[in-house]
Amino acid sequence: MATIHFHGATQQVTGSCHLIESTAIGKVLLDCGMEQGGDDGELYQKQFAFNPQQIDAVILSHAHLDHSGMLPKLVRQGFHGRIYCTHVTKALLEVMLKDAVSIYLHDLERENIRRARQGEGPLQPIIEQTDVQKTLSLCQTYDYLESISIGSAGVLKFRDAGHILGSSIVELTLTERGERKVLVFSGDLGNPDTVLMKAPSAVYHADVLMMESTYGDRDHRNYTNTCSQFAELLDKAKKQGGNVLIPSFAVGRTQELLFHLGCLYHQGKLEGWQVFLDSPMAIAVTEIYDRWAALLDKKAMNHLAKYNYDSLQSFLPNLHLTPDPEQSMALNRIKGGAIIIAGSGMCTGGRIRQHFKHRLWRTDTTVIFVGFQARNSLGRLLVDGIKHVKLFGEQIAVKAQIETLGGFSAHAGKTQLMEWQQHFKDSPKTILVHGEVNALESLAQSLWSDYHVKAMIPHEGELFSF
């Protein structure tokens, strides 16, 4: 008998981490992500509910930090097994983990200066960059659809999840006492309407299906309408004479935005605008997207080819990269006509908070959210209409225009999730993870009423046997 122990992303969107135990594979983690929503300095505080030294392997669905971010801590605490992932996932991991740990160490240094002034001793780092290097050395990379032996009697296969480059649906086949069981973990399923990524692969057979439910309670706005709304918001902001701030995830969302802005540029709809990509991590990731362009959607690539495309940057001629801190700070002196894309996507850290400090109180500023905002994150508070926020010890009035574009989401919407679930021909036990309570309950109810599928919604620490 195999078991699943749910240690993260249960009744919340972040912190994906599930422990699979079976005589076929031993103890294997599906993802090892951090819980996002608070400040960056708190991201590594959560303690593991298991002994990292006893984990035999990690299967990583994709590189986003809410699925991968705790790997350096896992390694620091004694994990030394294999980390199974796709080739692109490892390339993205190197950028993302180094950046996350760098931010953490910078915040720690600042906190220790504060403690020294108060006569307190320094805090020791939970993780360091050497832990990132050890993590990367443990990664074993594979192609989609490659059959991978794992443990004594397990077979692993990655399928394209269509979420970001390298993102995977995990198919794990276990053979115990001659009995074959198939576990499928959706990871994060992509939105088929996005332009750069392929649609999520269909899977037809499973005994147990673990499915994400981020947008289990709603569908996204039509893609064409979203693009029109985006252009209208930029036109409105231009008439106000101010600037546009777009908090964006460095992996996936930023590259989609650059594509859409490039399209608007070639349609003559970006006159008077300059676009600034103000994120060293997003700049590095965009280079990886260009390097692995063969994995992107063919329709998008054919469209880009019309403009002699050789990179996302060349497709958008008024794009400026600002990797250095001095370049980033200089953006605060621009009075109007700037579209500034900066991390982090949920505004829990990164350069976007500095831009908020300088511009959130201005009525001519427009903030456009293009991704999911987790509960308790600064982004979620702004979307929900908060009137004052505290940034860098200072109260800031929120007078900017706050807008949301749901159609650019890299996650499947409710109807798309249900349609993907219906590909399975053998009525697998369906378990809903990676969603807030309302989304989970709404999706479970619709699966039951429409398809007579009874879905389980696990609690943190719950154990499921199959």
Side-chain angles (χ1 to χ4, degrees):
M1 179 177 292
T3 61
I4 307 171
H5 214 148
F6 300 97
H7 292 300
T10 52
Q11 302 187 29
Q12 63 175 341
V13 167
T14 66
S16 180
C17 185
H18 315 286
L19 176 57
I20 313 300
E21 292 191 54
S22 164
T23 57
I25 58 172
K27 295 183 177 182
V28 174
L29 287 183
L30 288 180
D31 287 347
C32 190
M34 58 174 51
E35 292 186 1
Q36 296 174 304
D39 288 335
D40 277 346
E42 303 171 357
L43 294 178
Y44 297 104
Q45 298 299 324
K46 184 177 179 180
Q47 299 301 310
F48 294 119
F50 46 82
N51 185 346
Q53 297 179 26
Q54 296 177 356
I55 302 299
D56 296 301
V58 177
I59 300 172
L60 189 58
S61 65
H62 65 288
H64 273 151
L65 291 177
D66 61 327
H67 293 256
S68 70
M70 294 294 278
L71 284 171
K73 184 174 180 178
L74 188 79
V75 169
R76 188 178 182 91
Q77 295 190 0
F79 170 75
H80 56 271
R82 289 187 177 184
I83 300 171
Y84 296 86
C85 62
T86 62
H87 301 296
V88 191
T89 292
K90 182 181 178 181
L92 293 172
L93 268 186
E94 182 170 5
V95 175
M96 300 191 71
L97 294 182
K98 286 181 178 178
D99 183 81
V101 173
S102 177
I103 291 172
Y104 161 73
L105 292 173
H106 176 76
D107 290 345
L108 180 65
E109 181 182 12
R110 188 169 53 190
E111 172 63 15
N112 281 337
I113 291 173
R114 185 193 68 80
R115 290 172 66 89
R117 287 173 181 155
Q118 297 179 355
E120 301 175 1
L123 298 173
Q124 297 303 309
I126 297 172
I127 55 172
E128 298 180 283
Q129 290 293 354
T130 53
D131 301 309
V132 174
Q133 292 302 326
K134 291 178 184 177
T135 299
L136 295 171
S137 72
L138 297 176
C139 290
Q140 301 288 317
T141 62
Y142 302 91
D143 294 321
Y144 288 131
L145 302 180
E146 184 175 349
S147 291
I148 308 154
S149 295
I150 177 171
S152 61
V155 177
L156 167 65
K157 188 176 290 186
F158 292 117
R159 299 179 185 272
D160 193 346
H163 176 58
I164 63 172
L165 269 183
S167 62
S168 302
I169 299 162
V170 175
E171 181 182 307
L172 187 58
T173 302
L174 312 174
T175 302
E176 297 181 314
R177 299 178 181 178
E179 184 180 0
R180 181 175 172 272
K181 301 173 183 177
V182 179
L183 166 68
V184 171
F185 172 44
S186 71
D188 283 357
L189 288 176
N191 178 356
D193 289 339
T194 58
V195 289
L196 291 183
M197 300 307 302
K198 297 176 182 178
S201 300
V203 188
Y204 298 98
H205 300 286
D207 297 289
V208 177
L209 167 63
M210 292 171 56
M211 186 169 75
E212 70 115 321
S213 314
T214 309
Y215 288 96
D217 56 347
R218 59 197 185 277
D219 286 317
H220 303 305
R221 187 170 185 173
N222 175 276
Y223 168 75
T224 302
N225 292 341
T226 300
C227 292
S228 298
Q229 183 189 3
F230 190 26
E232 290 169 4
L233 289 175
L234 293 179
D235 187 57
K236 179 181 175 182
K238 185 177 180 181
K239 291 176 181 176
Q240 290 176 333
N243 297 285
V244 173
L245 302 179
I246 305 180
S248 185
F249 300 97
V251 183
R253 195 62 41 83
T254 291
Q255 291 71 40
E256 292 272 348
L257 275 173
L258 295 180
F259 177 87
H260 293 303
L261 288 166
C263 290
L264 290 176
Y265 174 88
H266 290 287
Q267 294 166 14
K269 296 181 180 179
L270 279 190
E271 292 184 7
W273 286 110
Q274 295 297 313
V275 181
F276 297 91
L277 182 52
D278 190 31
S279 166
M281 181 165 65
I283 292 169
V285 168
T286 301
E287 292 173 355
I288 292 174
Y289 264 62
D290 287 331
R291 196 186 319 152
W292 291 86
L295 294 179
L296 297 174
D297 183 74
K298 290 183 179 179
K299 289 183 180 179
M301 297 312 296
N302 289 339
H303 181 78
L304 290 169
K306 298 177 183 177
Y307 301 95
N308 297 317
Y309 166 85
D310 66 353
S311 69
L312 282 170
Q313 184 179 358
S314 66
F315 182 56
L316 181 56
N318 58 346
L319 173 65
H320 307 276
L321 308 181
T322 56
D324 298 330
E326 294 79 10
Q327 294 172 309
S328 177
M329 288 186 286
L331 299 180
N332 295 316
R333 297 194 291 269
I334 299 176
K335 294 182 178 180
I339 299 171
I340 301 171
I341 304 170
S344 67
M346 297 184 192
C347 312
T348 55
R351 293 181 178 180
I352 194 65
R353 292 166 74 96
Q354 285 285 352
H355 295 306
F356 279 172
K357 177 183 176 181
H358 288 272
R359 301 193 187 277
L360 205 53
W361 48 273
R362 299 178 60 95
T363 57
D364 61 355
T365 296
T366 300
V367 180
I368 303 178
F369 286 97
V370 293
F372 187 87
Q373 302 302 307
R375 185 172 52 233
N376 299 324
S377 66
L378 175 56
R380 180 67 161 268
L381 294 174
L382 290 169
V383 168
D384 289 344
I386 195 170
K387 299 303 181 184
H388 290 83
V389 298
K390 190 173 183 179
L391 291 169
F392 308 102
E394 183 179 348
Q395 288 290 333
I396 307 292
V398 181
K399 295 186 179 180
Q401 308 299 311
I402 308 297
E403 306 286 352
T404 300
L405 284 176
F408 286 160
S409 174
H411 285 265
K414 180 176 183 176
T415 299
Q416 294 162 339
L417 287 169
M418 293 176 65
E419 290 174 348
W420 185 81
Q421 197 277 343
Q422 281 299 290
H423 285 119
F424 290 89
K425 301 182 182 301
D426 31 21
S427 302
K429 175 64 178 178
T430 299
I431 303 170
L432 302 183
V433 295
H434 209 281
E436 293 181 357
V437 174
N438 290 343
L440 293 164
E441 291 179 346
S442 176
L443 183 57
Q445 182 179 2
S446 295
L447 284 170
W448 175 252
S449 61
D450 291 10
Y451 302 129
H452 221 62
V453 172
K454 188 174 182 179
M456 171 188 173
I457 301 175
H459 295 277
E460 178 105 8
E462 189 168 346
L463 189 67
F464 172 79
S465 301
F466 66 103

